[in-house]
Structures are given as structure tokens and as C-alpha cells.
Amino acid sequence: MRRVGPNSYTEVYFAGCNPSFVETSDGYVMIDSPQQPIDAVRWRERMEDKAPIRYLINTEPHGDHISGNAYFTNNTQVVGQVKLQECFERYLFAFGSLDEKRERFKETDPDSVWLVGHPDYPAVNPPTLTFDDTLTLNVGNHTFNIIHMPGHTAPQTSVLVPEEGVVFTGDNVFHRCRSWLQECDPWEWLAALKSIEALDVETIVPGHGEPCGKAYLKEQGQIVENWVGYIEGFVDRGVSADEILKQPVEVTKQDPYPIGQRLFVLDGRLTDMIVRNLHKRILDKKAGRGAA
Ligand SMILES: [Zn+2]
């Protein structure tokens, strides 16, 4: 657990994303939820021992940010961008059903097995409070400026807390661990990094990796640009995505960092998805079809 502001914390060593919370004078506000069920229930109990959890804000629809929502049930309102609400269940079950998840946990996290599909947690808890561009919540003495910043995913959201000097970006920032560009719009992502740069904050809490400062945003942008330039070189020579993937992909030349937080099992699949996503988006852009 890392303190990132006077009253705000993030956990950078869980399997999955960096779930975070701010302790206000009127209860807690969480940003994303712990991926592993046992981590989620431990968090909830420790917080609710002190104060109620008023809101849980999801920054994006990837499973490591939303699957713990199920364990935050007692009067916690879930907040998300309107597109996140629409795609919530599709993403939640993208890596299999509850039964498949339970079987996987028998190998990877035995403490969580009994909590998967437990009758006390019948709901998956998608966002019920949504917004298009921005939403401001005032909780106790804190302000939460919730801002749609598409990039890493279409509903991608940043949560700025001015009183803490902190912004929580989800996976628009991967700090010194492998960047996931498997479904991103890379040009929107670069624009989002500029928007984050313009915020009046000291500390950035990334989706993965240690908290960092604005100086890292340039490097994050460079990684996105490296990938786009690399794949564009193939597109310009008429090389298809399948053909690119027949040869070794020069991953570490585009992005030097190792894959973070127990995600190594998806390493090969990630490279495949990045190449296919960027290839299609670059082709579409050149054909004037837009990326949406
Ligand atoms: Zn993500």
C-alpha cells in the first residue's frame, strides 16, 4: 500500500490493476476494485470498519479494474463512463464464466475460490451513475473531477482529486511496465496524455506500476508512438498483420519494460493483439475510415 496524497492510497503489488482510495471526511471513495476476490473483501472490511465506502469509480472496463466490484455491495454507488456501463458484462466475462474463473483460482489463488459466485455476492455491480464527458462529485471536503479521456480503451476515465494533488488515470499510464495497446486508439491515447499533462497535479497514479510524476508522460507517449511507427512501416509496404506475426516481433525495441503484476501469462497473446489492433487502425486511418 502506497500513500500518494495526504488522504489517498494505492496498492501497487496486487495481481491486476492498482486499486486506490481516498479517505474523505464523509467516507471513502475508491478508484477501481481489487481483482482477486480475497483482496476485495479484505479491503472492504478494513475500510467499512472505519467509514462507509460512498463511491467506487471505474477507470476502464478491463477485468482487472472491474471484477472486484462484485464485493462492494453495501450502499457503495458505482460510477463509470456511459460506454463502460454498456460494455461492462461483456468485458467482465471476456476471460471465461464464473465456473472457469473458479477453476483457475484453484491453481492461482486458492484463498479466493470460495468467494467466486458466493451467494452473498450475487451482483456484478456495473456503474449505475454514469456520465458522458465529465462528472464532479463532492464528498466530505474532497472534490472528484471525473473526466472521460479515451485512449487505452474507449470509455477510459481519469479521476482528478485537487485537494490531494493526484490524478488516477487507469491504464492510460503504465509506469515502467509493459503498455497494453491491444484495443487502444493510439492517437486518442496521445491526446489523453496531453490532457493529463495539463492537469494541476503532483502525482499520477497509473493503472499499473509505481506512482509517478508528469515527467514520465513523455516516455509513455514515446512508447505509443514507437508502436505506431513500427506497424506503420509494415502497412506502408503492404505487409498484412498475419505476415508481421510470422516473424519475431521487435517488442522490446518499442517498449523496453517487462509485463507487470502477474500478467505474464498473457504476454504472447498481448503482442499478437497489439499488432492486429494497430495494423487495422492504421489501415483504416489511411483509407479515411476513421478509427471509431
Ligand atoms: Zn486496461
Side-chain angles (χ1 to χ4, degrees):
M1 183 82 70
R2 204 58 61 79
R3 188 177 204 146
V4 290
N7 302 284
S8 42
Y9 300 84
T10 190
E11 174 56 68
V12 298
Y13 295 132
F14 279 166
C17 77
N18 292 341
S20 309
F21 64 84
V22 179
E23 190 173 13
T24 80
S25 56
D26 187 35
Y28 291 102
V29 174
M30 285 180 57
I31 296 96
D32 291 332
S33 51
Q35 171 186 266
Q36 306 298 103
I38 193 71
D39 292 334
V41 295
R42 281 185 180 134
W43 261 46
R44 194 198 63 223
E45 287 194 15
R46 278 167 59 186
M47 278 190 252
E48 287 188 340
D49 204 32
K50 282 183 80 177
I53 305 166
R54 299 290 182 203
Y55 295 98
L56 161 54
I57 306 163
N58 287 133
T59 61
E60 59 168 81
H62 287 148
D64 55 327
H65 299 252
I66 64 168
S67 63
N69 283 23
Y71 300 95
F72 292 83
T73 50
N74 300 333
N75 303 316
T76 299
Q77 181 152 40
V78 180
V79 183
Q81 207 269 344
V82 66
K83 287 184 217 165
L84 192 151
Q85 184 191 48
E86 288 160 15
C87 67
F88 187 88
E89 295 213 11
R90 181 162 58 82
Y91 276 82
L92 189 62
F93 297 112
F95 289 93
S97 64
L98 281 183
D99 287 340
E100 286 161 337
K101 228 179 207 179
R102 190 183 299 110
E103 285 308 307
R104 275 204 305 273
F105 279 145
K106 286 179 183 174
E107 297 295 324
T108 59
D109 184 6
D111 288 345
S112 285
V113 170
W114 70 291
L115 291 166
V116 178
H118 190 288
D120 284 355
Y121 307 108
V124 294
N125 290 337
T128 52
L129 176 58
T130 62
F131 60 95
D132 283 309
D133 296 324
T134 62
L135 172 70
T136 298
L137 297 175
N138 295 292
V139 187
N141 299 322
H142 281 83
T143 316
F144 296 83
N145 294 319
I146 307 168
I147 312 162
H148 184 211
M149 290 192 188
H152 168 74
T153 65
Q156 200 70 32
T157 295
S158 288
V159 182
L160 168 67
V161 189
E163 294 84 359
E164 299 287 310
V166 173
V167 62
F168 302 86
T169 64
D171 296 0
N172 270 339
V173 181
F174 285 84
H175 184 216
R176 298 174 72 82
C177 57
R178 179 93 170 273
S179 294
W180 288 56
L181 295 86
Q182 79 276 27
E183 64 168 283
C184 72
D185 179 318
W187 303 285
E188 283 187 341
W189 192 336
L190 293 168
L193 293 172
K194 291 219 159 54
S195 302
I196 295 166
E197 170 95 53
L199 300 174
D200 182 16
V201 290
E202 291 288 307
T203 304
I204 296 168
V205 178
H208 298 265
E210 300 277 348
C212 59
K214 285 186 189 174
Y216 182 73
L217 295 173
K218 197 161 172 273
E219 192 176 345
Q220 178 66 74
Q222 190 62 52
I223 290 168
V224 174
E225 284 179 2
N226 288 349
W227 269 114
V228 170
Y230 179 59
I231 301 301
E232 198 163 26
F234 290 106
V235 171
D236 287 344
R237 297 197 301 278
V239 181
S240 71
D242 283 332
E243 284 164 337
I244 297 172
L245 290 164
K246 278 183 190 151
Q247 309 140 27
V249 176
E250 295 175 314
V251 174
T252 54
K253 273 197 185 166
Q254 323 316 322
D255 180 347
Y257 295 114
I259 205 158
Q261 285 152 306
R262 218 194 270 181
L263 289 159
F264 55 86
V265 284
L266 298 170
D267 202 340
R269 187 170 157 191
L270 173 61
T271 301
D272 191 279
M273 289 189 295
I274 289 175
V275 169
R276 291 185 190 284
N277 175 46
L278 294 181
H279 192 278
K280 180 172 189 313
R281 287 190 183 266
I282 292 165
L283 262 186
D284 283 353
K285 196 175 188 204
K286 286 186 190 292
R289 285 194 291 268

